[in-house]
Amino acid sequence: MPRGDGRLSHDLDPQRPGPQDACGVFGVWAPGEEVANLTYFGLYALQHRGQEAAGIAVSDGSGVVVYKDLGLVAQVFDEPTLASLRGHVAIGHARYSTTGASTWENAQPTIRATTSGTTIALAHNGNLVNTAELQREAAERGQGADGSTNDTSLVTMLLASRPDLSVEAAALEVLPHLRGAFSFVFMDESTLYAARDPHGVRPLVLGRLERGWVVASETAALDIVGASVVREVEPGELIAIDAEGLRSTRFAAPEPKGCLFEYVYIARPDATIAGRNVHAARVQIGRQLAKEHPVEADLVIPVPESGTPAAIGYAEESGITYGAGLMKNPYVGRTFIQPSQTLRQLGIRLKLNPLRQNVRGKRLVVVDDSIVRGNTQRAIVRMLREAGAVEVHVRISSPPVSWPCFYGIDFATRAELLANGLDNDGIRRSIGADTLGYVSLSGLIAATEQPKTRLCRACFDGEYPIELPVGNLIGKHVLEGIGRRVANRTADDIEPAEQLVPPIDGSFGDLEPSATTHRP
């Protein structure tokens, strides 16, 4: 059921969430255009990247106004609200929380005023790994807490803590000290800014309007507002757009490590990443799956919609008929919560239901994008068998997810990842399939048409391209944890050398010190 306020929460099963998406960001500088409306439609195109909260900041040159709330874009904004957001520059955000709890205070864009009177609003896609360090710096610079507990607010505070510098100069001073994944759009009263971390983990693209400029997480958001794609924002690049035009500055040398999971699951199929159409890449992954894991079967079916392109590719390569075997309820998105264990067990049926006449008596190849905990696949296999399928062969268009992500995707902890504790046959038995095949890591990389060295593969192989800190907390609730410790202990109680590092599984327990690091 929906929550009491009518909005949908994020998880099919709140006790066992699957991989949650990175956030979506959008920014526009366009005098004479209805920038709030453009931002609304841009966020609508990016809704798949985050469904917990949405917000828009806008300026008419005299001040920055932010409107944000928990919920989907269409739930947060209506026509009267958008009509009240007037200006020539705007940024927007669709949130899934990767640092900080899902609260109104943590919704974005974040906003902060400097002592000189400039107001800064910022939206973030990604996740920083030196959050505790940044919090200390913000405190040393006299930036007081604003009720939020996310890394985005800290960056906004640090930008605002340099009132003697322009926002652009402050950004060039702050950005080199951030570690982790970030694609930022931010603004002051007159200027739109965009920045991408030196590794370019999360996507960010630049587009051109007839009377302005747009930046967005994915090219699909440019398409929806009628902007032409210019190029990607480069890793380590800061862009500023105002009445004087567009300026580009390097704040760090580029070391590209784009997220490989974007090609598998996160990005829309109609998006383009590094020149590669995502749908085409997923079809190619399906072809590779068929080569690596052939099987005799009667019908290839996708788990809609994430498995559809790969299922098409599998069918094309194998010669097995492609068809529909599962119907998705179009009115139940990725955001749903059940109020009781009984209904949670039935939750998958609220989203998917088998086409009995299509699957009865058939040997099925079921193609999906990933297995994290295995709950969804287990339920699907059971439903298909109950509907009369004689064999169910599961094919997965990504390698086993064995490691947590610290760069902007909220996977389960490592201890909860099915592939971490079981081999391939153990996973097959766990989900009840007749056979199970994952695409190889090399096959997945080949489908992206990107060199292995330019991709972050950490969730698959445990090789983290951005060093994870020793001596700092890391994880979604790092700032809440620090706050609780500070509240319970005085500064004299805490030894300088005390390490607050969670175990490799990404969990924190009671936030007691641990000597275990995040290095695999």
Side-chain angles (χ1 to χ4, degrees):
M1 292 176 61
R3 302 182 328 191
D5 59 7
R7 294 177 179 150
L8 300 177
S9 182
H10 203 71
D11 305 321
L12 180 67
D13 180 345
Q15 305 305 315
R16 293 179 170 85
Q20 309 298 357
D21 302 354
C23 300
V25 298
F26 186 90
V28 55
W29 184 92
E33 299 284 355
E34 295 180 340
V35 293
N37 288 40
L38 291 174
T39 304
Y40 172 85
F41 288 116
L43 293 180
Y44 206 90
L46 299 171
Q47 184 74 87
H48 61 288
R49 300 185 70 88
Q51 301 96 42
E52 289 187 6
I56 293 174
V58 65
S59 172
D60 61 2
S62 62
V64 178
V65 175
V66 172
Y67 187 92
K68 61 183 181 179
D69 204 350
L70 301 179
L72 303 175
V73 175
Q75 296 167 333
V76 172
F77 296 99
D78 55 23
E79 289 189 20
T81 301
L82 292 171
S84 70
L85 299 174
R86 312 297 298 177
H88 69 282
V89 58
I91 64 172
H93 190 264
R95 185 178 193 243
Y96 176 71
S97 54
T98 54
T99 295
S102 182
T103 63
W104 183 90
E105 290 79 6
N106 284 333
Q108 299 181 33
T110 57
I111 188 168
R112 200 81 171 182
T114 70
T115 55
S116 63
T118 300
T119 303
I120 301 168
L122 185 144
H124 176 199
N125 174 22
N127 198 55
L128 302 179
V129 298
N130 63 332
T131 305
E133 175 187 320
L134 297 175
Q135 188 194 47
R136 287 194 295 271
E137 181 183 346
E140 290 169 0
R141 288 181 169 272
Q143 293 293 308
D146 60 359
S148 63
T149 53
N150 61 36
D151 49 359
T152 311
S153 291
L154 290 175
V155 176
T156 313
M157 290 179 191
L158 291 173
L159 290 172
S161 70
R162 294 157 168 82
D164 296 333
L165 299 177
S166 67
V167 174
E168 192 170 347
L172 290 173
E173 191 172 285
V174 170
L175 293 172
H177 297 287
L178 306 181
R179 295 202 307 276
F182 59 86
S183 286
F184 292 141
V185 293
F186 55 110
M187 61 182 283
D188 56 24
E189 281 79 2
S190 61
T191 307
L192 173 67
Y193 305 91
R196 198 173 177 201
D197 71 81
H199 297 278
V201 177
R202 307 257 71 87
L204 193 63
V205 292
L206 173 69
R208 192 74 164 98
L209 290 167
E210 183 178 350
R211 294 191 289 180
W213 297 87
V214 178
V215 288
S217 293
E218 295 184 23
T219 56
L222 303 186
D223 296 337
I224 200 171
V225 299
S228 59
V229 178
V230 176
R231 62 176 176 86
E232 293 193 352
V233 177
E234 294 294 325
E237 181 183 22
L238 169 67
I239 286 175
I241 302 168
D242 58 18
E244 298 179 3
L246 182 147
R247 300 181 298 280
S248 171
T249 310
R250 290 279 186 184
F251 64 86
E255 301 177 53
K257 294 288 182 182
C259 173
L260 184 54
F261 206 67
E262 290 274 353
Y263 293 91
V264 173
Y265 176 79
I266 299 176
R268 279 176 47 151
D270 52 345
T272 298
I273 302 176
R276 177 62 159 156
N277 174 260
V278 171
H279 181 270
R282 291 174 183 170
V283 171
Q284 182 57 38
I285 295 168
R287 293 193 184 103
Q288 186 65 28
L289 256 177
K291 294 175 183 177
E292 294 179 0
H293 300 286
V295 68
E296 291 186 5
D298 305 307
L299 189 68
V300 177
I301 68 170
V303 175
E305 275 88 15
S306 56
T308 299
I312 292 170
Y314 193 102
E316 290 176 350
E317 182 66 31
S318 66
I320 302 171
T321 301
Y322 171 88
L326 293 163
M327 290 301 296
K328 183 177 181 181
N329 183 343
Y331 299 102
V332 180
R334 295 183 180 182
T335 60
F336 216 88
I337 185 170
Q338 303 308 316
S340 70
Q341 179 62 26
T342 300
L343 285 179
R344 278 200 297 270
Q345 292 172 348
L346 298 174
I348 190 66
R349 295 184 182 272
L350 293 166
K351 296 183 72 173
L352 298 172
N353 203 40
L355 286 166
R356 296 178 183 274
Q357 286 191 312
N358 284 19
V359 305
R360 186 179 297 120
K362 300 284 179 60
R363 298 170 297 172
L364 303 177
V365 177
V366 182
V367 182
D368 203 356
D369 57 83
S370 60
I371 296 178
V372 179
R373 292 182 177 88
N375 299 302
T376 298
Q377 289 78 16
R378 192 175 298 116
I380 288 172
V381 171
R382 183 170 61 249
M383 280 196 301
L384 291 171
R385 291 198 189 282
E386 291 171 355
V390 295
E391 294 178 10
V392 181
H393 305 276
V394 174
R395 296 294 180 265
I396 304 298
S397 61
S398 65
V401 176
S402 301
W403 301 87
C405 176
F406 300 105
Y407 306 139
I409 305 173
D410 190 22
F411 283 120
T413 63
R414 192 175 183 217
E416 297 171 295
L417 295 171
L418 197 60
N420 180 51
L422 296 173
D423 60 14
N424 191 77
D425 195 55
I427 297 172
R428 179 195 64 77
R429 291 195 302 270
S430 174
I431 66 175
D434 291 285
T435 66
L436 171 64
Y438 293 88
V439 75
S440 64
L441 182 56
S442 61
L444 172 58
I445 291 170
T448 70
E449 299 183 347
Q450 291 291 300
K452 178 181 179 181
T453 55
R454 294 178 66 93
L455 293 166
C456 175
R457 317 167 306 274
C459 59
F460 301 124
D461 63 11
E463 295 182 14
Y464 292 92
I466 304 170
E467 185 177 2
L468 301 173
V470 174
N472 282 334
L473 284 170
I474 186 173
K476 180 172 179 176
H477 297 290
V478 56
L479 295 178
E480 286 98 335
I482 293 173
R484 285 195 296 270
R485 289 186 62 85
V486 171
N488 293 330
R489 301 172 65 185
T490 68
D492 294 337
D493 294 329
I494 303 174
E495 296 296 327
E498 185 176 68
Q499 290 190 342
L500 298 175
V501 183
I504 188 72
D505 66 2
S507 61
F508 293 93
D510 59 1
L511 292 167
E512 286 303 307
S514 166
T516 308
T517 74
H518 276 293
R519 293 195 179 92

